[in-house]
Amino acid sequence: MSGKPKLYYFNGRGKMESIRWLLAAAGVEFEEEFLETREQYEKLLQGGSLLFQQVPMVEIDGMRMVQTRAILSYIAAKYNLYGKDLKERALIDMYVGGTDDLMGFIMMFPFLSAEDKEKQHAFIVQKATSRYFPAYEKVLKDHGQDFLVGNSFSWADVHLLEAILMVEEKKSDVLAGFPQLQAFKARISNIPTIKKFLEPGSQRKPVPDDKYVETVRRVLRMYYDVKAN
């Protein structure tokens, strides 16, 4: 294994994108191996690299880690993005969990049938504006600090910014009624490591397209349509 973390996934967002975000936020350079064929995937399976027979998989510090949440928790703890004590860590976990729920609705979107996409689009915007964004707006207002937890940059901030930008891709003015989140987005986007990741040419992946969907379906042998919420 090389000194840099190595990420094994498709050349697209999916479950790996939050790992890319967190490594980038920590200022950590990483390498990627993109899965493009079923044979690549089966080689990982046969080599015993995928404990639960699924990706994402990350090689880091002599380990081959699977399970997205475990990978993210390890990176957050390693690079001091996981709070200063147990209470802060619990809050970070809680906020990340909520953001995960919202991001899950968006992550499945490219795999929906054409007729389901319109329905899911409305569902995403409705959930963001009625459940998740009001919660974070209140957290930021009540907390009165620049960040979600304590007064330091954490995994929770990275995850929320990623989610905000994903929802804005569905509805560009979605933060119109959320002044705290507007200010939060501006602050976090200007943190140097985040700003660099948001610039063209970074390892941040674009909105999933048909090529990405076709590759995932082929490699994982997904012969069914995902259902909308």
Side-chain angles (χ1 to χ4, degrees), residues 45-127:
L45 290 173
Q46 293 163 6
S49 296
L50 306 181
L51 183 62
F52 301 111
Q53 302 179 27
Q54 59 192 18
V55 288
M57 192 266 282
V58 175
E59 291 180 348
I60 185 171
D61 295 341
M63 299 183 290
R64 288 187 174 94
M65 294 194 70
V66 294
Q67 292 297 320
T68 308
R69 188 59 181 263
I71 296 166
L72 288 166
S73 296
Y74 182 81
I75 293 167
K78 179 178 173 68
Y79 295 106
N80 300 314
L81 295 170
Y82 212 172
K84 70 177 187 300
D85 55 30
L86 191 60
K87 182 177 179 180
E88 288 193 358
R89 182 167 294 196
L91 289 172
I92 290 168
D93 283 339
M94 184 170 67
Y95 298 151
V96 166
T99 308
D100 264 343
D101 292 344
L102 174 58
M103 291 168 75
F105 301 139
I106 304 169
M107 203 175 298
M108 66 181 285
F109 186 85
F111 297 91
L112 296 173
S113 64
E115 62 184 279
D116 278 342
K117 283 186 175 179
E118 184 175 349
K119 174 183 174 183
Q120 186 73 358
H121 185 282
F123 179 86
I124 289 166
V125 173
Q126 188 270 330
K127 287 296 183 184

